[in-house]
Amino acid sequence: MQQLSSNEKYITAVGEILFDVYPTHKKLGGAPFNFIYHIEKLVGNGRIISRIGNDSDGKEILNYLEEKNINTDFIQIDEKFESGIVKVLLDDNKIPSFEILNNRAYDNIQLNDTIVNLIQNSNLLYVGTLAQRNTVSRETIKKTLEMKRKVFCDLNIRQNFYSKQVIEKTLNRSNVVKLNEAELELVTYLLFNVKDEIMASSKRIRNHFDLDLLCVTLGNKGAYLFREDSESYYKVEINKIADTVGAGDAYSAMMCLGYLRDWDLDRINMFASEFAGEICKIHGAIPENDDLYQLYKEKIK
């Protein structure tokens, strides 16, 4: 395992890495993985903490990551549970629905000294809710949240794999949060027992949890960003959508880079929205080559 030097600062994600299985093919995915893949390709300091099975899918995952030059030092191998699988179906508007299989390797992520060292040398930690559905990974993530790094939470609520307690505890430790419109409504009702319009709900959540930055994505209707004293709205027009899988993860990656670089809200929202729009033009969450990243490396210099 790699030992990090004290002057290195990473953006680190903890959570699921899995295969999105379509009717005709499968693609590597999982929100934390998609996020960190974009970070690594854009700026070269992304690391992911996850767990895969000692099975054919697990071997395929490792081979893919090594082929794409994505660090695998913090991906654990589980001898009991299989690698993660999500069955994906697309509706007529290319919007995905997911069937997420339970009791998978990423439910059993273990904390160790190497991971502690990584997080201590990170300036941003990504967390979500899916990998907190079972006790072992939930306790690991809880301990990582206690290490007082900047925290980005992309709730990514899926099926029934969430609870009021997990959402509230995670948001309490977060600096930056991203929700989609449906998640905003659910969280507002779950935590405050109210139903309200987007602006009021967004400001309620940002104020209650004292967030540096809150994002609410509205699909093809655009995205809002909220800070204490300002807000931004941006909508990008996308021609020839292949599917929307992973668009939110692309938005998250660019948004977090803008946050860490102290961009103004409109610049963050524009770059994040346009980058997400480019991902909507391909099948799946990850580009086949690095051309898009080369383009955006130049744009965000």
Side-chain angles (χ1 to χ4, degrees):
M1 289 291 186
Q2 179 184 15
Q3 293 300 310
L4 306 176
S5 64
S6 60
N7 61 350
E8 290 178 293
K9 292 295 180 184
Y10 294 124
I11 296 173
T12 297
V14 56
E16 66 273 12
I17 182 170
L18 46 79
F19 274 113
D20 290 324
V21 180
Y22 297 79
T24 59
H25 64 285
K26 67 181 181 180
K27 283 215 167 190
L28 198 57
F33 164 71
N34 296 338
F35 171 87
I36 221 66
Y37 188 96
H38 297 314
I39 294 292
E40 176 62 19
K41 290 296 183 177
L42 287 167
V43 295
N45 65 341
R47 296 292 182 268
I48 184 165
I49 301 163
S50 193
R51 196 171 179 95
I52 59 177
N54 187 15
D55 52 20
S56 59
D57 282 340
K59 292 178 175 64
E60 192 171 343
I61 289 169
L62 288 179
N63 288 338
Y64 179 89
L65 296 182
E66 289 166 1
E67 177 185 323
K68 297 294 185 178
N69 295 314
I70 303 298
N71 182 280
T72 61
D73 287 346
F74 309 98
I75 296 178
Q76 304 166 1
I77 308 298
D78 198 294
E79 299 295 337
K80 179 180 178 181
F81 294 106
E82 296 176 314
S83 299
I85 293 289
V86 174
K87 297 179 181 178
V88 184
L89 294 175
L90 300 176
D91 67 15
D92 293 339
N93 295 316
K94 310 298 184 183
I95 305 298
S97 61
F98 306 92
E99 180 188 351
I100 304 171
L101 303 191
N102 217 333
N103 296 317
R104 295 283 149 166
Y106 66 80
D107 294 312
N108 198 38
I109 299 170
Q110 312 278 329
L111 191 67
N112 56 39
D113 290 343
T114 306
I115 288 174
V116 171
N117 187 42
L118 170 65
I119 294 169
Q120 288 174 341
N121 287 280
S122 299
N123 56 12
L124 185 80
L125 176 67
Y126 170 114
V127 299
T129 55
L130 180 57
Q132 298 189 65
R133 63 183 180 173
N134 287 344
T135 304
V136 176
S137 288
R138 182 165 64 246
E139 285 301 307
T140 295
I141 291 172
K142 177 185 173 184
K143 289 172 183 174
T144 66
L145 289 172
E146 292 169 354
M147 295 182 194
K148 297 188 183 301
R149 293 292 171 269
K150 293 287 188 183
V151 173
F152 166 59
C153 172
D154 188 350
L155 282 184
N156 265 316
I157 292 174
R158 298 285 184 255
Q159 295 172 198
N160 63 339
F161 299 129
Y162 66 91
S163 70
K164 177 181 178 180
Q165 183 181 42
V166 165
I167 290 173
E168 194 162 27
K169 285 186 175 181
T170 305
L171 294 183
N172 269 321
R173 299 308 301 250
S174 298
N175 304 95
V176 180
V177 171
K178 182 174 78 67
L179 304 161
N180 63 32
E181 192 172 1
E183 290 166 343
L184 175 68
E185 182 178 348
L186 184 151
V187 169
T188 303
Y189 186 75
L190 195 65
L191 300 187
F192 307 108
N193 198 32
V194 295
K195 292 186 177 181
D196 217 332
E197 51 86 26
I198 290 172
M199 301 299 282
S201 295
S202 300
K203 290 176 181 179
R204 183 190 300 272
I205 288 173
R206 201 216 67 78
N207 291 337
H208 181 83
F209 294 103
D210 193 24
L211 301 173
D212 294 342
L213 183 61
L214 172 67
C215 172
V216 179
T217 58
L218 311 174
N220 61 9
K221 296 181 291 183
Y224 280 106
L225 288 177
F226 300 91
R227 276 182 176 150
E228 181 179 10
D229 56 355
S230 58
E231 63 190 54
S232 171
Y233 171 78
Y234 191 83
K235 177 183 176 181
V236 62
E237 298 295 336
I238 307 168
N239 297 318
K240 297 183 179 179
I241 294 176
D243 64 52
T244 61
V245 174
D249 306 323
Y251 186 102
S252 294
M254 192 64 73
M255 177 183 67
C256 284
L257 290 179
Y259 166 72
L260 291 173
R261 295 177 178 197
D262 201 28
W263 294 353
D264 66 68
L265 280 194
D266 287 339
R267 187 182 186 203
I268 294 174
N269 208 356
M270 180 187 71
F271 273 104
S273 297
E274 292 182 355
F275 185 61
E278 293 298 322
I279 296 300
C280 290
K281 297 177 184 178
I282 66 172
H283 291 286
I286 300 298
E288 293 291 337
N289 58 55
D290 290 351
D291 292 349
L292 179 62
Y293 299 112
Q294 289 301 126
L295 173 64
Y296 273 87
K297 278 182 181 180
E298 294 299 317
K299 287 187 174 187
I300 66 176
K301 276 184 178 178

